[in-house]
Amino acid sequence: MTEVAVAEASMVVEESIERQGEFLIAVLQDIQEHYNYLPEAALQEVAARLDIPLRDVYGVATFYRSFSLAPKGEHIVTVCLGTACHVRGGARIVEALARELEIEAGETTPDLEFTLETVNCLGCCAIGPIVVVDGEYHGEMTAQGAVNLVRKIQKAERV
Ligand code: FES
């Protein structure tokens, strides 16, 4: 990280601790929300300010699936691969999106626009297969429908 980025990380952590107190998970959530992931400089700052060993901060950061140590895309596309969605074509949807975005599940596009993720059951199996784009649920999805969702975002961003 550059000096400016380190200074910013320090400020983000300081503001979060002012709001959250010394509640590690809440502070990590604030950082994740700000950057869309947990940058190393911010984790070092958290360890120093909360007086927690860095390995313990990493331990919490890697335990929860909602935290990411790698940068994520501006748009998060999540495909459910739980049993109900899988039997209705979830895997085909993942394959189609991976082809479209030229990444594998779990990866982020080099331009940091999209992250493709999979999940095991979102609790709404009756309307599967489910694709969630930036927090919005799309039920009874097809491979082409999912690709169209991505293309719609790309088109909107070009305008
Ligand atoms: S298996 Fe996909 S929502 Fe339950």
Side-chain angles (χ1 to χ4, degrees):
M1 271 195 156
T2 65
E3 216 171 288
V4 172
V6 170
E8 188 199 331
S10 173
M11 203 179 71
V12 169
V13 171
E14 186 180 326
E15 286 174 3
S16 176
I17 291 173
E18 275 171 22
R19 272 195 311 276
Q20 312 285 6
E22 298 195 349
F23 185 33
L24 176 60
I25 292 178
V27 172
L28 294 180
Q29 280 171 333
D30 281 351
I31 298 167
Q32 172 85 32
E33 199 176 304
H34 183 86
Y35 290 102
N36 228 356
Y37 78 110
L38 300 174
E40 188 183 343
L43 294 183
Q44 285 175 353
E45 191 70 24
V46 169
R49 285 182 187 254
L50 297 185
D51 197 21
I52 299 173
L54 186 58
R55 68 170 184 279
D56 292 349
V57 175
Y58 269 96
V60 173
T62 52
F63 181 78
Y64 292 99
R65 207 187 143 110
S66 57
F67 294 135
S68 172
L69 295 178
K72 286 204 176 188
E74 192 180 329
H75 304 285
I76 310 290
V77 180
T78 307
V79 183
C80 181
L81 285 183
T83 308
C85 289
H86 195 277
V87 298
R88 293 182 191 149
R92 278 197 300 279
I93 294 175
V94 175
E95 280 168 26
L97 288 171
R99 220 175 13 253
E100 179 72 12
L101 295 170
E102 299 179 348
I103 54 175
E104 298 297 320
E107 292 181 349
T108 297
T109 54
D111 62 3
L112 296 181
E113 278 296 307
F114 291 92
T115 294
L116 178 59
E117 297 181 333
T118 59
V119 70
N120 290 321
C121 193
L122 291 158
C124 42
C125 313
I127 57 166
I130 308 283
V131 174
V132 184
V133 180
D134 296 335
E136 193 175 325
Y137 283 52
H138 302 268
E140 297 176 357
M141 189 46 62
T142 61
Q144 188 57 50
V147 167
N148 289 346
L149 288 173
V150 164
R151 288 183 182 166
K152 199 171 150 193
I153 292 173
Q154 289 169 325
K155 196 172 164 191
E157 294 199 339
R158 276 198 297 271
V159 174

